Amino acid sequence: MKLYVVRHGQTEANVNHLFNGRNERDLTEFGIEQANSLANRMNTISIDLIFSSPLKRARHTASNS
């Protein structure tokens, strides 16, 4: 078994050096590009299960993967 741990893509709070906490923040355009890049890099890996935070930014990143 292999475990891959990734972080959500960039949000405005990240750009401004703020902590997101449980606040719902959308991904920036760059964050969306990061999520797409992650999906492209992982597209040859067989993934059986994805665990994600219920927050929008994490779900958005996970849905691209």
Side-chain angles (χ1 to χ4, degrees):
M1 174 177 67
K2 289 187 179 181
L3 177 66
Y4 299 92
V5 179
V6 298
R7 188 171 186 270
H8 61 78
Q10 182 188 67
T11 67
E12 282 297 322
N14 299 138
V15 172
N16 295 315
H17 305 287
L18 301 172
F19 290 106
N20 279 314
R22 300 273 311 159
N23 295 324
E24 287 287 358
R25 308 278 186 182
D26 290 324
L27 297 179
T28 62
E29 288 299 317
F30 182 64
I32 293 168
E33 289 175 24
Q34 289 174 315
N36 290 334
S37 175
L38 173 66
N40 288 335
R41 291 191 338 240
M42 296 189 79
N43 70 0
T44 60
I45 299 171
S46 176
I47 298 175
D48 297 320
L49 187 61
I50 295 177
F51 290 95
S52 173
S53 161
L55 297 173
K56 243 188 321 189
R57 60 185 176 265
R59 288 192 330 264
H60 188 177
T61 300
S63 71
N64 285 349
S65 302

